């Protein structure tokens, strides 16, 4: 089989989108559980929260690693421009991710109160900061960043922190927090579960307010995204699906169907990422103020040969990944019961 | 300080720190397969106890390995953006393959390995252990392939000119099986197996010295010493193959390894010494005549290329590479001797009486770590001044927009975080070792205790 008939650049735009969407959907709830971690009171509750994500957080983070690798391979210019341009922001993101990861592993290995509190804070702060920074990065990509004629970033660290990107940072945090709270609902029982219901409600309100503000801000201030929507009216159906998915979350929660609420939350994340990606297309990095310097699926891509090889790798690898990811979620499908293997 | 030096320092620091952990994960992964396999075969509870104990240690090293590994992937883009543009078409697919084929496998099944003891049947658990081991080995394959391509690029052509030039792939399998890839992969894996084996040996020897958990200790020494000996002997073979490959593919690097300036037949093999780079000779060295020619070409009369064949600006820092290389070789040979002695006295049944040897075995855990670190420094410093050998200079691979102050900030940040991580790692590992294996693990629980297999 060869891929001559396919537009490989478009295929890889979509596949990178799939990888980052997978990351947002899966690690999103890990980060959300982390953001909620300090709201829990007793040590046992905190352990339950940690073990809710215990067997899966590691695999979920691999979606980011693989997404990064795929971006490097398929669109090296985007990888180079964004990573070097967002230097300090990404270093902070790395430090936040490190703290979050090791805190999960370290925390319950010692009984001292100060020890556990230190790593509790590390876990929670790392999760919150990661969510915010991921959102800020998305906000900048949506808003556009200044690029010079070589496609290099021409701004500074501080120029990345404008109101729109910060708004997206907060929205991402809200989305992940809601998503994580619903996931935690599935994994807990008893009083913690009942209190989580309240947090889910607050999380939904927090997210829906942010979502409304972000949508308005995007329509008003990010004309290039709205323009694509007008040019391709079928995108409205995706926006509608997104709206329905979000609206369905409170409905399912109200009826106590937590599993379906979680699926709706996943659907909301997928459609949001879909909208984001398709409104950017064919740009990967939009250059603002001079759109002619934008990095697109054409001028930033690797050769057709590499994209073809990578597609083979994806076709072989992704079904394997999905099959054993499903197995592992299945093995650990029960609510959390602490035992001596637990964190 | 300039961006080049700072960026190299940062990459060296973050890679060296990261590389303390993956070899342990790979090596312990293999040893866990052996221990659990032995348990399934012999049904001796001590092997079950060992597998449970080392699973916890593996989880600890794995978590730090993952956390510090993402940093490296990001650094290609943050600090070496021009390099990334130049090689992305070739190098990127190896990194993406690593994510798809290795990391998902490893992290997914690690969950079953660590948390699944009481949830799944013996066979499913053993299968998961094997998959974690396989995943860890896959990750070594892809990253060493990518790194070897930087040493001996193959399967590509250069497209465009000047600032726009970049390497594009022409033959994927030629890239994967580039001239040094398989030698270096084997060499890296042997080093990783040694790291895992000697950690197990070290803990076993410690318990024997302290007369605690003696059954566990003896079983650990038995498994660890055998695996360590085997890995160390294989390492000798792979080291020799690797060096011959370097002589063929990267002559300047081999000349730096050996501090050889003049091209000569019957080239001597220097055992130790100090390279004076100004006078271009080795001071205070002891050498075996003609041995290097023999080692590199199997023929004492074959000439070995010296550093004077290369312009000064194309030579790596000679003394540094020389010392790292010799440190690695010395550590490697020391490990063979140590494993040999350990096995000898173990089989004579009087290892417990040789306290000096037990103390040496306790510290043997440092041997593979020193050799692995020194070996990587020799390999990567020896590649200088090239980031992609013969194609792109390290100084040309930097990010155009990143300033020295930014890199300095990130170095300070990473140093502080890594110091903390290292302290905590050592503290927790020591705590785990002092606490010792759980007596409860001598009797399997959950589904593992069931005599017959049940579906997961």
């Amino acid at each position: 089989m060869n891929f001559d008939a396919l537009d490989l650049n478009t295929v890889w735009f979509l596949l990178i989108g799939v990888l980052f969407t997978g990351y947002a959907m899966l690690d999103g709830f890990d980060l959300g559980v982390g953001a909620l971690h300090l709201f829990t009171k007793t040590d046992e509750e905190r352990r339950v929260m940690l073990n809710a994500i215990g067997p899966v957080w590691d695999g979920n983070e691999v979606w980011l690693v693989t997404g990064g690798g795929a971006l490097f391979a398929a669109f090296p210019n985007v990888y180079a421009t964004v990573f070097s341009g967002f230097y300090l922001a990404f270093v902070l993101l790395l430090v936040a991710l490190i703290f979050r990861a090791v805190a999960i592993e370290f925390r319950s290995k010692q009984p001292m109160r100060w020890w556990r509190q230190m790593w509790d804070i590390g876990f929670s702060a790392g999760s919150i900061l990661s969510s915010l920074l991921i959102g800020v990065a998305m906000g900048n990509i949506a808003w556009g960043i200044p690029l010079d004629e070589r496609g290099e970033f021409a701004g500074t660290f501080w120029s990345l922190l404008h109101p729109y990107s910060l708004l997206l940072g907060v929205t991402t945090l809200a989305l992940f927090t809601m998503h994580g709270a619903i996931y935690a609902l599935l994994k807990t029982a008893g009083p913690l579960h009942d209190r989580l219901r309240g947090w889910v409600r607050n999380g939904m309100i927090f997210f829906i307010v942010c979502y409304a503000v972000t949508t308005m801000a995007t329509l008003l201030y990010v004309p290039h995204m709205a323009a694509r929507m007008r040019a391709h009216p079928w995108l409205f159906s995706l926006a509608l699906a997104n709206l329905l998915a979000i609206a369905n979350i409170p409905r399912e929660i109200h009826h106590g169907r937590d599993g379906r609420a979680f699926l709706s939350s996943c659907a909301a994340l997928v459609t949001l990422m879909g909208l984001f990606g398709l409104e950017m297309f064919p740009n990967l990095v939009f250059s603002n103020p001079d759109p002619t310097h934008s990095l697109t699926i054409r001028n930033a891509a690797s050769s057709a040969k590499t994209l073809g090889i990578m597609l083979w790798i994806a076709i072989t690898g992704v079904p394997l990944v999905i099959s054993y990811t499903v197995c592992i979620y299945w093995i650990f499908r029960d609510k959390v019961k602490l035992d001596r293997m637990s964190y | 300080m300039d961006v080049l030096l700072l960026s190299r320092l940062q990459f060296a620091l973050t890679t060296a720190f990261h590389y303390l952990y993956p070899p342990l994960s790979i090596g312990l992964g293999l040893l866990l397969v052996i221990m659990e396999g032995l348990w399934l075969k012999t049904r001796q509870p001590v092997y079950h106890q060992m597998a449970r104990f080392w699973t916890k240690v593996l989880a600890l090293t794995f978590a730090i390995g993952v956390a510090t590994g993402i940093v490296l992937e990001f650094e290609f883009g943050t600090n070496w953006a021009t390099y990334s543009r130049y090689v992305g078409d070739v190098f990127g697919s190896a990194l993406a393959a690593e994510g798809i084929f290795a990391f998902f496998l490893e992290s997914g099944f690690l969950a079953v390995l660590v948390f699944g003891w009481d949830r799944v049947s013996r066979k499913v658990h053993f299968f998961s252990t094997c998959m974690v081991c396989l995943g860890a080995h896959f990750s070594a394959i892809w990253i060493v392939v990518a790194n070897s391509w930087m040493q001996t690029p193959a399967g590509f052509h250069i497209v465009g000119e000047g600032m726009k030039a970049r390497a594009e792939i022409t033959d994927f399998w030629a890239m994967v099986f580039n001239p040094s890839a398989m030698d270096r992969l084997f060499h890296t894996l042997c080093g990783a197996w040694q790291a895992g084996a000697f950690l197990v040996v070290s803990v076993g020897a410690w318990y024997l010295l302290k007369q605690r958990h003696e059954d566990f200790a003896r079983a650990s020494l038995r498994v660890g010493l055998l695996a360590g000996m085997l890995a160390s002997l294989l390492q000798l073979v792979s080291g020799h193959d690797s060096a011959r490959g370097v002589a063929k593919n990267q002559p300047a690097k081999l000349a730096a390894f050996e501090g050889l300036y003049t091209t000569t037949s019957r080239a001597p093999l220097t055992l130790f010494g100090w390279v004076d780079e100004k006078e271009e000779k080795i001071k205070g060295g002891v050498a075996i005549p003609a041995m290097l020619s023999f080692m590199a070409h199997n023929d004492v009369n074959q000439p070995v290329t010296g550093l004077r064949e290369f312009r000064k600006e194309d030579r790596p820092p000679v003394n540094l590479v020389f010392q790292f290389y010799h440190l690695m070789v010395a550590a490697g040979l020391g490990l063979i001797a140590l494993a040999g002695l350990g096995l000898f006295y173990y089989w004579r049944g009087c290892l417990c009486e040789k306290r000096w040897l037990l103390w040496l075995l306790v510290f043997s855990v440092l041997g593979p770590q020193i050799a692995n670190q020194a070996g990587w420094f020799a390999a990567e410093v020896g590649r200088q001044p090239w980031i992609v050998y013969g194609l792109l200079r390290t100084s040309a691979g930097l990010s155009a927009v990143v300033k020295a102050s930014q890199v300095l900030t990130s170095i300070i940040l990473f140093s502080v975080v890594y110091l903390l991580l290292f302290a905590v790692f050592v503290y927790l590992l020591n705590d785990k070792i002092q606490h010792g294996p759980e007596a409860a693990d001598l009797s399997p629980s959950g589904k593992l205790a069931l005599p017959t297999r049940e579906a997961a």
Side-chain angles (χ1 to χ4, degrees), chain A residues 24-34 36 47-60 100 123 174-189 192-193 196-197 199-201 203-204 249 253 257-266 269 325 328-336, chain B residues 111 119:
Chain A
M25 192 173 89
L26 296 172
D27 211 31
F29 69 71
D30 298 341
L31 292 167
V33 167
L36 289 169
R47 288 188 63 202
V48 169
M49 291 291 268
L50 277 177
N51 285 286
I53 60 167
V56 295
W57 71 268
D58 215 337
N60 294 344
R100 188 180 74 102
F123 175 53
L175 174 59
F176 286 173
T177 308
M178 173 187 77
H179 193 49
I182 300 173
Y183 178 79
L185 216 48
L186 295 176
K187 304 302 273 183
T188 53
L192 178 60
H193 178 90
L196 268 164
R197 289 207 166 269
W199 300 350
V200 168
R201 198 191 56 230
M204 287 188 304
I249 303 171
I253 292 284
R257 295 186 294 241
D258 302 341
R260 287 193 188 186
F262 183 69
L263 289 180
S264 286
S265 182
C266 289
L269 258 158
T325 303
I328 281 142
Y329 274 83
W330 178 252
I331 290 174
F332 297 99
R333 66 191 177 279
D334 300 338
K335 289 187 187 281
V336 176
Chain B
R119 281 173 185 268

Side-chain angles (χ1 to χ4, degrees), chain A residues 276-295:
Chain A
F276 177 85
L278 293 172
E279 286 178 2
M280 287 294 294
F281 187 85
N283 294 311
L284 283 144
V285 183
F286 183 73
S287 173
N288 183 1
D290 186 350
T292 54
H293 295 158
S294 296
L295 299 178

Side-chain angles (χ1 to χ4, degrees), chain A residues 13-29:
Chain A
F13 182 90
L14 294 174
L15 282 176
I16 299 239
V18 168
L19 286 168
F20 284 127
T21 305
Y23 176 71
M25 192 173 89
L26 296 172
D27 211 31
F29 69 71

Side-chain angles (χ1 to χ4, degrees), chain B residues 297-314:
Chain B
H297 303 295
N298 269 347
D299 177 359
V300 290
N301 294 316
Q302 279 271 350
V304 177
T305 314
L307 282 161
R308 288 208 188 92
E309 308 292 324
F310 303 91
R311 289 179 301 170
K312 281 215 164 125
E313 64 267 29
D314 292 346

Side-chain angles (χ1 to χ4, degrees), chain B residues 244-298:
Chain B
R244 287 172 53 115
V246 176
K248 193 164 137 232
N249 301 311
Q250 296 173 285
K253 185 159 140 185
L254 185 88
F257 281 172
E258 299 295 349
L260 184 74
Y261 277 94
T262 326
T263 303
T264 169
S265 59
R266 303 184 69 80
L269 185 77
T270 309
L271 297 181
F272 55 86
W274 192 261
V275 187
D276 187 326
E277 293 180 41
K278 279 220 179 68
E279 293 184 31
E280 305 198 341
K281 65 176 190 190
I282 295 175
K283 291 191 166 162
V286 171
I288 308 174
M291 195 62 183
L292 182 58
S293 283
F294 180 70
M295 299 275 267
H297 303 295
N298 269 347

Side-chain angles (χ1 to χ4, degrees), chain A residues 213-240:
Chain A
V213 177
T214 304
T215 307
M216 281 193 288
T218 309
L219 292 173
L220 286 173
Y221 298 109
V222 195
H224 71 99
M225 305 241 342
R228 254 196 74 78
M229 180 95 91
R230 276 195 298 278
H232 301 273
W234 63 272
L235 281 173
F236 278 105
S237 61
L238 195 59
L240 188 67

